[in-house]
Amino acid sequence: MNFNDEKDYVMRIIKEMAKVLFSLMLGKQYQSVELPEENKYQISGKSLEDFKKMADEGFINEAENLLLESIDYTQKEEVLAAILFYQHLSEKDDDFLKAHSYSKQEVLDGMKILAEKLGYGQISSFLTET
């Protein structure tokens, strides 16, 4: 597997994990979230847009740490916001992520953490088996 194949593989896994987690959380098949609906998501009172803005400004690790420290896994809306945050990060190019000490693998690791905290660790393992 060459470097580009590996990047594509990680991207596909991230997208599949997002779809599966959304479907499990919402109890229905995943549909792409419309932007106006996406704006309603918050984590401990901080909007998803705030987390995304931090990441866009290069404070990816700080945004992720704040998100993971603040999230209430019993609140479906907060978990959905976290999934959308990682999906947003997955859309960043490798150069941007590398410039800010982050990687696609770390996006995938974050999605795995969410899956495990939600009790879906087996799905995470199944999707990421190589």
Side-chain angles (χ1 to χ4, degrees), residues 20-31:
V20 169
L21 290 175
F22 257 96
S23 296
L24 290 168
M25 295 297 299
L26 297 174
K28 58 184 178 182
Q29 187 172 353
Y30 172 83
Q31 297 291 324

Side-chain angles (χ1 to χ4, degrees), residues 13-128:
I13 296 299
I14 291 168
K15 288 179 183 180
E16 286 303 312
M17 285 189 71
K19 287 179 184 179
V20 169
L21 290 175
F22 257 96
S23 296
L24 290 168
M25 295 297 299
L26 297 174
K28 58 184 178 182
Q29 187 172 353
Y30 172 83
Q31 297 291 324
S32 180
V33 177
E34 302 275 329
L35 190 58
E37 184 179 326
E38 187 177 308
N39 290 333
K40 74 178 183 177
Y41 294 111
Q42 295 187 3
I43 298 171
S44 294
K46 188 173 180 81
S47 76
L48 171 60
E49 289 306 311
D50 291 338
F51 287 102
K52 288 167 60 173
K53 183 177 178 187
M54 285 179 70
D56 292 346
E57 292 173 352
F59 301 103
I60 301 171
N61 287 301
E62 293 85 348
E64 180 185 41
N65 291 341
L66 182 59
L67 181 145
L68 292 175
E69 291 169 4
S70 304
I71 191 169
D72 179 351
Y73 288 95
T74 65
Q75 298 297 314
K76 179 170 52 173
E77 298 292 325
E78 291 193 17
V79 174
L80 295 175
I83 295 167
L84 289 169
F85 173 76
Y86 283 114
Q87 188 172 4
H88 178 73
L89 291 180
S90 75
E91 295 166 358
K92 298 291 182 195
D93 66 42
D94 290 324
D95 292 335
F96 177 84
L97 294 174
K98 185 177 180 180
H100 300 290
S101 304
Y102 210 78
S103 68
K104 298 280 190 204
Q105 183 60 50
E106 288 177 284
V107 175
L108 180 57
D109 292 344
M111 293 290 281
K112 287 180 185 179
I113 289 170
L114 292 178
E116 289 168 9
K117 294 278 188 178
L118 294 167
Y120 301 126
Q122 302 90 339
I123 292 169
S124 170
S125 297
F126 174 74
L127 288 173
T128 59

Side-chain angles (χ1 to χ4, degrees), residues 2-14 94:
N2 71 36
F3 183 67
N4 285 334
D5 290 342
E6 186 176 320
K7 287 190 315 188
D8 291 343
Y9 172 75
V10 172
M11 283 298 299
R12 282 194 313 271
I13 296 299
I14 291 168
D94 290 324

